[in-house]
Every structure is written in C-alpha cells, then in structure tokens.
Amino acid sequence: MMLKGLFEAGFKATVAFALLNLAACGGGAQNSAIPTLTYAVGASGYSSPTSTESGLVEVRLDNATTAPHLVAVVRPKAGVTAEQVKTTLAQGGFEALEELVEMAGGVSAQPGQAAAVVLELRTGAHLLVGLKLSQDGPPEIPPGAVRDLEVKPRGGPAPTAPKPDVTAVGKDFSYEMPSSIKAGPKLWLFDNQGQHLHHLILFRLEEGKTLDDLKAWLADPQAAPPGEEAGFLLEISGGYREYARLDLPPGNYAAICFIVDHHSGKSHADLGMIQALTVTP
C-alpha cells in the first residue's frame, strides 16, 4: 500500500511540500456547501466526529503534536466489519488492510500544522486511521487513533465540486496528466479510474538529473537518490477521487506510483506509472 511504498523507497516520512488548506485561495474550494470533518491530534489524544454526510467532504487534520501525522479514511468492503478491520490493524498494522477495505484517501500534516483534502465519501461505516510518522521506522498507530465514522446519505443537494487546476488520472498502469504546469499553489484532482489502488507521488529531480536517472535509482534504491519527494496524493481505490492543493516550485519532476502489483511482483512504476512533469516559473 502507499506507506509501504514510501518507506521502502527511502522517502522522508515528513511531508516535504506545502499542502494548503483548500479553503485558502480560489480553485472553487471555497464552496461553503462542502462540509468539513476535522480529525484532531494533540497532547490529550485524538478526536473526530462520529458521522458525516456522503459525497464531497473536506477532511482536515489538525496536528498539535511534535511529530508528523497522517489520517487515512477507509471503508470496509462488503462482508467486512469495522471490528474486523480494527483487529487486523492491531495485529498487522496499516499495511495489512489492502484486502479488507476501500481506500477513500487521506491527508498528512507536519508538527504544529493543519492540512486538508477534499474526498468523495460513500455511505456506510468507515474508519479514520491515524498514523504517527517517523523517519526511523514504520508508521505507528497510537492508542485512540482509530476512530469510527458513519457516512450517512446526504439530506440535501450535493455541493458543487471544486474546479481543479491540474487533473491527474490514474489508470492500470499509467497516468494521464499534463506534461507541464506553472509553479505555485494549484488545486490537484487525482482520479483513480483503474481497478487497482494507486497514488500520485511527485519527485523533484536535482539539476541535471533525468527520468532515466530516477529509473536507475528505483532499480537500485541503495544508491544516492537523484532528487527528493516534493508532494503526494494518498492512495485511493479504483473509482475514488481526491482533491489536494500542492505548491510546487519550478523544476523537473516525476509522477510515480510505488504500489506493488501482487500478480507480477513489480511496482506500478515498473509497469508504466512514471511520468515526467515540468514546473515552469
């Protein structure tokens, strides 16, 4: 799953990009009809609402701790209960969930900061899974970090979807997205139209490095990386979409999916989900 790919690839666990509050500057995300669900983590523990309505929901993570955190929204698959998911989390950690849940998306926040994404939630039982991130090891699920969430049918008109500045479509196994964008804050839409889980990792290449250098590093991750992580949209299951605002400086980038295909044993990047992106001034 997403976190496994990030840590195995040697990425920093902290978020090395500016993920801005979606209500903060244009892009249609100021639509007040989109409800906000706040997952808060602080010295006293974790808190979140127990219900929300289906459709577009802004999921906000308020991180008042000294460690980076992430919250993922998961929906148990048909025939799977929330208690089964909790038991699996306790026994095998977050990476053990892939066969049990649909991934609806999530958001990460640096210590003392807040961040938000807009997700499309379906009716039914969900779980908010909080993860404490570390550069020294796998993510930790602290006590109280797994919260129940019931998504109820929407009682009124559906809110208007935000208007994205950049749309990236995930397929099995490729991206459909622009090859060049302007620098600065942009509202991204990641639309997974495949059958598999996919995420969108943005990797900024060092001056003079190319996509071939990145591919060579992926084949030998013990070598020095040709750049660094610049941002990501968390993995989502097929048929899901998520919106996040990313602020990318000018440079040469690559969009990558590190999730491993269980049939071939290859990463999605090896199967074709790696694409160059130029960010111009």
Side-chain angles (χ1 to χ4, degrees):
M1 296 181 79
M2 186 280 300
L3 290 171
K4 188 172 187 289
L6 288 181
F7 282 97
E8 287 183 348
F11 275 73
K12 300 176 183 178
T14 53
V15 182
F17 68 99
L19 177 57
L20 306 179
N21 189 312
L22 289 173
C25 49
Q30 295 181 15
N31 190 327
S32 61
I34 298 178
T36 297
L37 183 159
T38 299
Y39 181 100
V41 52
S44 59
Y46 297 80
S47 65
S48 63
T50 58
S51 66
T52 190
E53 291 188 328
S54 62
L56 295 171
V57 176
E58 182 185 72
V59 177
R60 176 184 172 91
L61 172 58
D62 285 347
N63 182 7
T65 73
T66 58
H69 277 71
L70 178 151
V71 60
V73 184
V74 305
R75 182 176 184 263
K77 292 182 178 179
V80 178
T81 68
E83 291 306 314
Q84 286 176 289
V85 175
K86 291 177 185 178
T87 299
T88 301
L89 282 169
Q91 295 175 346
F94 189 73
E95 300 301 336
L97 290 187
E98 187 166 351
E99 301 302 321
L100 298 181
V101 302
E102 298 172 1
M103 296 292 301
V107 61
S108 175
Q110 294 269 26
Q113 297 185 12
V117 293
V118 167
L119 307 179
E120 292 182 333
L121 302 185
R122 302 173 183 180
T123 57
H126 288 65
L127 291 171
L128 302 169
V129 182
L131 297 158
K132 181 180 179 182
L133 305 180
S134 169
Q135 296 189 52
D136 302 320
E140 173 190 352
I141 303 176
V146 180
R147 319 281 302 177
D148 289 294
L149 176 69
E150 183 67 24
V151 179
K152 302 176 180 180
R154 183 169 294 277
T160 303
K163 183 179 179 180
D165 302 302
V166 182
T167 297
V169 176
K171 299 287 185 73
D172 301 334
F173 297 93
S174 63
Y175 290 115
E176 292 181 359
M177 57 182 288
S179 59
S180 177
I181 64 171
K182 292 288 188 180
K186 297 281 188 297
L187 183 64
W188 284 64
L189 166 62
F190 180 43
D191 182 1
N192 184 358
Q193 295 182 9
Q195 299 298 313
H196 296 264
L197 288 168
H198 293 305
H199 57 211
L200 178 69
I201 311 297
L202 294 170
F203 191 89
R204 189 181 185 191
L205 295 167
E206 295 176 354
E207 187 71 26
K209 298 297 184 179
T210 67
L211 202 62
D212 286 338
D213 295 310
L214 178 58
K215 291 178 180 178
W217 174 66
L218 293 175
D220 181 19
Q222 300 304 315
E228 64 179 6
E229 172 199 341
F232 59 79
L233 286 92
L234 292 176
E235 67 176 12
I236 50 177
S237 296
Y240 280 82
R241 305 196 300 171
E242 61 184 334
Y243 300 82
R245 188 171 291 278
L246 307 179
D247 187 358
L248 301 177
N252 293 317
Y253 294 76
I256 319 171
C257 183
F258 286 101
I259 296 171
V260 174
D261 175 56
H262 297 304
H263 297 292
S264 66
K266 296 181 178 181
S267 74
H268 292 184
D270 289 334
L271 295 172
M273 292 195 80
I274 180 168
Q275 180 171 323
L277 171 69
T278 301
V279 179
T280 61

